[in-house]
Structures are given as C-alpha cells and as structure tokens.
C-alpha cells in the first residue's frame, strides 16, 4: 500500500512539474510567440514571463523580430536591348506583426524571395544594359517599394534590397572592355592635345612679353640716347656761347681789335701754307697787296706789343 501511495505521489509531482513548465513561458527579447487556444489564434506573447493554460493553449509559432538578411538566388534577366544579365542580391526584412506572419502566408520567406525575383526581372526588363550599371540605387528602391506593399499583408517590413553582382555574358564584357579602353585612349589624346595647346599658348605669351620687354628696353635706350645728345648739344651750345661772350668781351677791351686782326692774319697765312703743301700746284693769292698789307698790320701790332727799352 505504501508503495502504491509513493508511486502516485511521484506521478502527481511529475505532472505538477510538467504543468508548471507548460504554464510558465519566458519569451526572449526581440521575439514574439503566437499562442493558439484549441486550434484558434489566442494571443501574441511579448518578451518576458508569460502564463498560458496547459493542454489548452499551445505555442504555435515563434518569430524573431530582428532584422533578417535574405540571400536572393541569382537569376538571368533580359534587358530592354535584349541582353542577358545575371543578377543576384540580398534582401533585408523584419517581422513587424507576428500574427500576420503566422497566418498571412504559408511561408513568408519563400513568398518574399519569389516576389523579389519577379520584381527584379520586371525592373531590369525596362532598362538598357548600360543603365543597369548606372541605376543601381533606382533598382534597389523600386524593388523595396514593390515588395513592401505586398509584404505588409504578411506582417513583414522590407527594409532594403542591395544588388550584389551584375554579370553580363563574356562577349558583352569583352565589348565593354574595348569600349573602356577606347574611351581612355580618347581622353589621353585629348589631354595630350590640350597640353600641346597650352604649351603653344605659353610660348606665344612668353614671346609676346619678351618682345614687349625688348621694345620697352629699346624705347628707353632711345630716350636715354636722345636725352644724352640733347644734353651734349646744350652743353656745346652753352660752351660756344660762353666762348663767344669771352671773345666779345676781349674784342671790346683795349687792343682787342688789333688782337683779332693778328689772329686772322696768322690763320690766313697758315691756311695758305697748308694748301701749298697738299697740292703740286703753287697757290698764289689773288691780291698780293691785301696779303702784304695784312702781314704789315700784323707786324705793326707785334711791334706795338713789345715793351719799350
């Protein structure tokens, strides 16, 4: 009898422990658990300690409310100019409504993936190949807006979509490489021609400035020479004027006229002497009387200048 009572007590204890574990549920942070009561949605358990009715309530779904990255498988898309393009990307989403995420779709992750792929094919099909490389931000934004509108019914918020890789066919890659090479060669030629043009401009500008400098130097030199010649002429004129004034004063002084006559006679005789030396012909004055008179006047002046003994 004691054995039977102890067994019953042990069973009751085990049932109590199971009852407690079934009643008390601790939900981690950033998680949400969906409770069903008799097969029907009853409540969503928030993070922390929660109590449910054992054997009546059950935890049907457990959702993480963190941001989840979803790798979208690569697929081949056809561009507007009929070029095949392999595209893969990654989608970031977050569960915002645990009840809708549980009952809105049988598999919301698969639904989001398929919707992302179909939307991507649609967006790429409206663009040319070159634009797909330039408009990545536009593609990402369009896909996010399209998916987010439908995912709201599944209790999911699509945060962003990022294209990881765009891979065109090999022949397209070769053609693009040749185009890039040609474009770089074109820029190099343009840069070289601009360099030569700038060099020619600099040379012409330097020559012009040098010519201006030379002309300014020549102009200043001419001005300096003119000023020097003018100063020489003025100095010569002033010297001649001073000499003439001195001669005039000497003539006006006593005996000045006689001195002038004597000087003229000397120069006259000297000039005839030089003419006779430079020519084989004998030069005789036209009026010998004038010459003798001039010499006589000169001798008279000389005698008069001698002091009396």
């Amino acid at each position: 009898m004691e054995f039977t009572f102890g067994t019953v007590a042990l069973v009751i204890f085990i049932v109590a422990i199971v009852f407690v574990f079934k009643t008390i549920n601790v939900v981690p942070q950033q998680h949400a658990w969906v409770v069903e009561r008799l097969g029907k949605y009853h409540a969503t358990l928030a993070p922390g300690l929660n109590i449910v009715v054992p054997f009546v309530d059950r935890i049907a779904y457990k959702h993480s409310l963190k941001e989840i990255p979803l790798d979208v498988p690569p697929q081949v898309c056809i561009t507007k100019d009929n070029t095949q393009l392999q595209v893969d990307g990654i989608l970031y989403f977050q569960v915002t409504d645990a009840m809708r995420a549980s009952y809105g779709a049988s598999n919301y992750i698969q639904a989001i993936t398929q919707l992302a792929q179909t939307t991507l094919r649609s967006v790429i099909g409206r663009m040319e190949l070159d634009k797909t490389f330039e408009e990545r931000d536009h593609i990402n934004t369009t896909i996010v807006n399209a998916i987010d509108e439908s995912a709201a019914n599944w209790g999911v918020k699509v945060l962003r979509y990022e294209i990881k890789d765009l891979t065109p066919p090999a022949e397209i890659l070769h053609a693009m490489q040749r185009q890039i090479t040609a474009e770089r060669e074109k820029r190099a030629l343009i840069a070289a021609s601009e360099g030569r043009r700038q060099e020619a401009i600099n040379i012409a500008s330097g020559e012009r400035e040098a010519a201006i400098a030379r002309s300014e130097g020549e102009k200043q030199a001419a001005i300096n020479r003119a000023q020097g010649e003018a100063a020489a002429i003025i100095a010569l004129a002033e010297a001649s004027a001073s000499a003439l004034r001195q001669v005039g004063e000497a003539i006006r002084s006593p005996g000045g006229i006689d001195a002038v006559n004597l000087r003229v006679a000397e120069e006259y005789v000297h000039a005839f002497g030089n003419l006779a030396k430079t020519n084989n012909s004998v030069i005789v004055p036209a009026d010998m009387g004038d010459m003798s008179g001039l010499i006589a006047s000169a001798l008279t002046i000389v005698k008069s200048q001698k002091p009396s003994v």
Side-chain angles (χ1 to χ4, degrees):
M1 189 68 180
E2 292 180 358
F3 177 76
T4 304
F5 179 77
T7 302
V8 172
L10 180 61
V11 170
I12 293 173
F13 179 74
I14 294 173
V15 171
I17 292 177
V18 172
F19 186 85
V20 170
F21 275 102
K22 288 287 186 180
T23 301
I24 299 174
N25 292 272
V26 179
V27 180
Q29 184 67 33
Q30 285 296 94
H31 285 75
W33 293 0
V34 175
V35 177
E36 290 183 352
R37 176 168 291 179
L38 300 177
K40 183 180 179 180
Y41 171 76
H42 173 65
T44 301
L45 302 182
L49 183 64
N50 295 272
I51 298 176
V52 298
V53 179
F55 308 107
V56 177
D57 297 338
R58 76 180 185 92
I59 308 298
Y61 300 97
K62 295 180 179 181
H63 297 286
S64 174
L65 304 181
K66 300 177 183 179
E67 184 176 339
I68 301 173
L70 177 62
D71 192 8
V72 180
Q75 61 177 333
V76 177
C77 303
I78 306 298
T79 62
K80 186 178 180 181
D81 50 357
N82 297 323
T83 302
Q84 293 183 351
L85 188 65
Q86 184 173 343
V87 186
D88 63 338
I90 185 168
L91 185 69
Y92 296 87
F93 69 93
Q94 185 178 19
V95 175
T96 56
D97 191 333
M99 190 271 288
R100 288 191 177 187
S102 301
Y103 304 105
S106 60
N107 190 336
Y108 64 87
I109 294 180
Q110 184 179 2
I112 291 174
T113 302
Q114 295 295 325
L115 186 58
Q117 288 181 320
T118 55
T119 305
L120 179 61
R121 286 195 297 268
S122 177
V123 174
I124 295 295
R126 295 194 297 267
M127 304 175 66
E128 296 181 353
L129 179 62
D130 292 340
K131 290 295 183 181
T132 58
F133 296 98
E134 300 173 3
E135 301 292 338
R136 285 198 175 194
D137 293 338
H138 172 70
I139 295 173
N140 297 338
T141 303
T142 303
I143 293 175
V144 169
N145 294 335
I147 299 176
D148 189 54
E149 184 178 354
S150 300
N153 297 324
W154 307 329
V156 176
K157 174 67 176 177
V158 178
L159 302 176
R160 59 187 180 277
Y161 178 84
E162 295 292 340
I163 295 177
K164 292 196 298 183
D165 194 13
L166 293 171
T167 308
E171 57 272 14
I172 299 298
L173 285 176
H174 294 327
M176 293 173 64
Q177 186 63 39
R178 289 195 298 270
Q179 181 181 0
I180 293 173
T181 303
E183 185 66 25
R184 288 178 178 174
E185 291 177 353
K186 174 185 174 183
R187 289 199 297 265
L189 291 175
I190 292 174
S193 64
E194 287 292 334
R196 290 192 296 271
R197 174 176 173 270
Q198 189 62 41
E199 180 184 5
I201 292 174
N202 292 340
I203 292 174
S205 178
E207 292 178 350
R208 182 176 65 87
E209 292 178 359
I212 293 173
R214 285 195 299 271
S215 64
E216 289 292 335
E218 293 173 356
K219 173 184 175 183
Q220 189 62 40
I223 292 173
N224 293 338
R225 286 195 300 271
Q227 290 177 348
E229 292 175 356
I233 292 172
I234 293 173
L236 182 60
E238 290 178 351
S240 299
S242 177
L244 290 174
R245 283 194 298 270
Q246 292 178 3
V247 171
E249 291 176 357
I251 291 173
R252 288 193 297 270
S253 63
I257 296 297
D258 295 334
V260 170
N261 291 331
L262 176 60
R263 182 64 178 172
V264 171
E266 291 176 352
E267 292 295 330
Y268 187 77
V269 172
H270 181 70
F272 271 105
N274 289 334
L275 288 174
K277 291 178 182 179
T278 58
N279 199 341
N280 294 329
S281 302
V282 178
I283 300 173
V284 180
D287 191 353
M288 295 299 293
D290 293 338
M291 184 176 179
S292 60
L294 184 60
I295 293 172
S297 298
L299 293 175
T300 302
I301 293 171
V302 170
K303 290 178 180 180
S304 63
Q305 296 296 325
K306 291 180 179 180
S308 57
V309 180

